Amino acid sequence: MYLTELHISGIKLIRDLKLTFTRESKPRMWTVLLGENGLSKTTILQCIAMVAMGTNKANQIANVPSLVPLRRELQGGRGVLSLAGAVRGEFEVSSRAERPGLPSGVGPTRLYSEITRAAGWSDLKGSSNWHVDGQALGEPSPLTEIRAREIAHYFVAGYGVTRSIPFPNAAAQPRDRASDRVRSLFEPHWQIAATDFARRFPSVLGDADFVRQFERVLNIVLVESGLLPNIRGFRLSGEAHEDVFSQDLAPNEQMAVPAPWLSHGYQSTVAWVADLVGQALLDRRPGSAEPADFEGLVLVDELDLHLHPSWQRRLVSTLKKVFPKLQFIATTHSPIVLAGLEADEIIRLKRAPDGGVLAETNTTNPAFLTPTELLNEFFGFGDEFPSEVGQQMHEYMVLATNPFRDDQEERQLDALRAELTAKKATPSIQPTPRKAATEQS
C-alpha cells in the first residue's frame, strides 16, 4: 500500500494543503517534510495514518477534539471558526493484494479513502472505495474489511518521537494490530514493541521459526548494513534482559549489551527499525522474510532523533538500500539527513500569509551541498552567526581591519570591544591604525 496523493483541509493550522507522493506516475519511495516547529509536520503524518487506517481504526487512535482548526476563516468581514475538516488520500495497492468488494479480473485500481470531522460530532466519519480508470467500482468502504480482517499487503506503520526499547514487562500490551502499528504517532507514552515481538504477540508465542527469522533480519538491517556503528551482532532470547547487542568498546574489545541498556542514540533507531521488521514479518506470514521484499508505507516523526551527525549522514542512504520497496514519509530538523535525498524527495512547509500552511516544491539537490550549505539552503540560516557574541565578534573584526573607518565606525568599534570584553570574549586583534580617506588608492 503506497500513498500517491493527500489532501487536507480544515485540520489544525492547515486550511487547504495538497501533496503529491509520485515520481513519473509511480509512488515515490521517499519524502521528507521540512519546516519550523508548529507548521503541522506531525499533523500531516497523523492525517496520513488516519486515512490509511480507515474510519473505524482512525476513531480508535485519533484525538478528535484536537483536530479542530486553530485559525479563523474570514466570513462576512468577521472571523469564524469552522468545525468542519477532511483528509483525503489516494493509494496504490500491490497487485498481489486481495481486493475485497471488487469483481475478479479487474485491472489496475486505486484505493481512495476519506476521513471527515463534522461540526458537533465527537467521532470521525468517512468512506473508502476502489477506482478503476477514474470511476468508483465495487462495494463501498473496502478499508473497513481490509483492516478488520488484517489482509496482507496493506501494511502501514508509524513512529512518533517516543522511541525506546522496553524493559521487561514495561511495554504496552497489544490492543489491535493494525492501529497499534501507528499508535505512537498519536499517544506520546505508547511503547512500541521494538525487539519484544516473540514475548508480546500471542500469534508468535513459542514460534521458534518466527524468532529465528526476526533475529536474522534484524542482523541484516541493523548490523550487516552498517546502519549502527560499532554494533557487531544481535541475539534474541526468550527473556527481555537477554536480548543483547555485541558492541565495540575499543579495538579488539567487544561487550554484550542488553538491548534496553543501549544509549538513547542507539535505541532511537533500534526500537523503531526492530518494530518495523517485526510488524512487516507478521504482515507477510507466510511469505518472503527478506527486508528487500517488504512493501508498504512507513511514517517516522523526527527521523534523526538522538542520532549523531556522522550517523545521520548515512541514515537515509542505508535505509534506501535495505528497504527498497518501503515508502517512507518522515520529518526532520537535521540538514545532515537531507544528504541522502534527491531534490523531489524534500517538501518544504512554509507559513502562509493568512497564518496557514503551504508546501513549496524543492528543486535543490542536497547531494551536492556541504553541511553549511545544507543549513543555509534548507533552514534559512544565511551567513549570520548562530550566537549574538559570534555576530558581534564578526562585526568587530570587519571594523578593526578597516583602516579607513570614520568617526562613527570608530565609536561602534569601541562599543563592540567593551561588550565583548564584558562577555569574556575580549578580541585578540588590536584595531588597525586609521588612515585618512585621501590615502585610499
Side-chain angles (χ1 to χ4, degrees):
M1 185 175 187
Y2 299 124
L3 179 65
T4 55
E5 290 186 3
L6 181 72
H7 184 190
I8 305 172
S9 59
I11 302 292
K12 295 190 176 181
L13 283 179
I14 301 175
R15 179 180 181 181
D16 190 73
L17 184 67
K18 295 180 180 180
L19 300 175
T20 301
F21 300 87
T22 58
R23 176 187 291 162
E24 297 178 352
S25 301
K26 297 293 183 181
R28 187 175 61 239
M29 291 295 100
W30 270 86
T31 300
V32 172
L33 305 174
L34 300 183
E36 296 177 358
N37 293 77
L39 283 180
S40 301
K41 298 187 297 298
T42 300
T43 298
I44 292 172
L45 297 185
Q46 292 174 338
C47 287
I48 295 172
M50 289 189 297
V51 80
M53 287 292 103
T55 311
N56 291 350
K57 301 300 182 185
N59 276 310
Q60 292 179 16
I61 56 178
N63 180 3
V64 179
S66 74
L67 301 177
V68 298
L70 300 179
R71 48 187 306 284
R72 294 178 179 272
E73 304 289 345
L74 190 63
Q75 296 180 9
R78 64 189 184 91
V80 177
L81 190 62
S82 170
L83 295 180
V87 184
R88 301 173 184 86
E90 175 188 310
F91 300 88
E92 182 174 298
V93 177
S94 170
S95 59
R96 293 176 292 173
E98 177 186 346
R99 294 176 289 178
L102 270 184
S104 60
V106 174
T109 60
R110 292 290 176 102
L111 178 62
Y112 283 75
S113 176
E114 180 177 20
I115 299 290
T116 60
R117 188 206 63 253
W121 282 61
S122 59
D123 287 341
L124 299 169
K125 299 190 295 183
S127 62
S128 60
N129 53 69
W130 297 110
H131 277 221
V132 180
D133 296 327
Q135 300 295 318
L137 187 67
E139 298 296 323
S141 298
L143 259 179
T144 300
E145 181 176 350
I146 289 168
R147 296 306 176 199
R149 290 175 49 203
E150 296 182 347
I151 298 176
H153 302 296
Y154 293 90
F155 181 79
V156 180
Y159 300 99
V161 296
T162 304
R163 305 198 288 265
S164 61
I165 298 173
F167 279 92
N169 303 317
Q173 292 302 307
R175 302 179 189 174
D176 176 271
R177 196 166 82 185
S179 55
D180 281 355
R181 288 173 177 165
V182 299
R183 196 178 296 276
S184 73
L185 283 171
F186 299 85
E187 298 182 24
H189 302 296
W190 177 259
Q191 176 64 66
I192 59 179
T195 58
D196 208 25
F197 278 83
R199 289 174 294 272
R200 294 181 60 219
F201 284 76
S203 61
V204 296
L205 284 176
D207 188 337
D209 180 63
F210 179 89
V211 172
R212 285 193 298 270
Q213 293 278 34
F214 188 35
E215 183 179 271
R216 182 184 66 84
V217 176
L218 274 185
N219 274 285
I220 293 173
V221 174
L222 295 175
V223 182
E224 295 177 19
S225 70
L227 185 65
L228 293 180
N230 305 322
I231 295 294
R232 295 291 172 261
F234 170 73
R235 185 181 75 249
L236 189 66
S237 173
E239 300 293 334
H241 62 277
E242 293 180 5
D243 293 346
V244 296
F245 286 83
S246 178
Q247 183 176 3
D248 286 343
L249 299 181
N252 302 318
E253 181 183 354
Q254 295 182 357
M255 180 179 181
V257 180
W261 296 4
L262 291 170
S263 71
H264 287 302
Y266 282 110
Q267 288 202 42
S268 66
T269 300
V270 170
W272 77 262
V273 172
D275 190 89
L276 171 60
V277 167
Q279 300 286 5
L281 288 174
L282 288 178
D283 185 73
R284 299 180 66 82
R285 300 176 77 205
S288 171
E290 300 304 318
D293 293 328
F294 292 172
E295 297 178 344
L297 174 60
V298 184
L299 312 169
V300 187
D301 202 6
E302 295 193 25
L303 186 65
D304 56 292
L305 189 68
H306 298 312
L307 290 182
H308 188 275
S310 64
W311 298 13
Q312 295 176 21
R313 181 176 57 183
R314 58 173 173 253
L315 179 62
V316 170
S317 58
T318 302
L319 290 172
K320 283 183 174 183
K321 292 177 183 177
V322 174
F323 300 117
K325 295 181 181 179
L326 284 177
Q327 182 186 36
F328 285 86
I329 301 175
T331 71
T332 188
H333 289 110
S334 168
I336 307 300
V337 164
L338 307 182
L341 298 167
E342 298 181 39
D344 65 339
E345 294 173 335
I346 299 171
I347 294 178
R348 306 189 196 203
L349 300 177
K350 304 285 186 179
R351 194 172 301 279
D354 63 0
V357 178
L358 56 85
E360 288 187 353
T361 301
N362 175 63
T363 58
T364 302
N365 191 332
F368 304 130
L369 304 181
T370 66
T372 299
E373 290 170 334
L374 287 169
L375 189 64
N376 293 346
E377 172 66 25
F378 292 102
F379 294 88
F381 264 69
D383 295 326
E384 68 266 23
F385 286 79
S387 68
E388 182 183 29
V389 68
Q391 184 63 35
Q392 288 177 329
M393 182 64 77
H394 173 71
E395 293 173 2
Y396 174 88
M397 296 299 293
V398 171
L399 291 172
T401 55
N402 177 18
F404 303 105
R405 57 188 179 273
D406 57 28
D407 291 343
Q408 181 179 348
E409 290 171 329
E410 183 72 10
R411 290 191 293 270
Q412 183 181 355
L413 179 67
D414 291 339
L416 283 170
R417 186 177 184 87
E419 284 191 50
L420 289 167
T421 299
K423 295 175 180 178
K424 299 181 179 181
T426 305
S428 59
I429 296 180
Q430 295 298 318
T432 300
R434 294 172 65 185
K435 295 182 180 181
T438 55
E439 297 182 54
Q440 293 186 24
S441 57

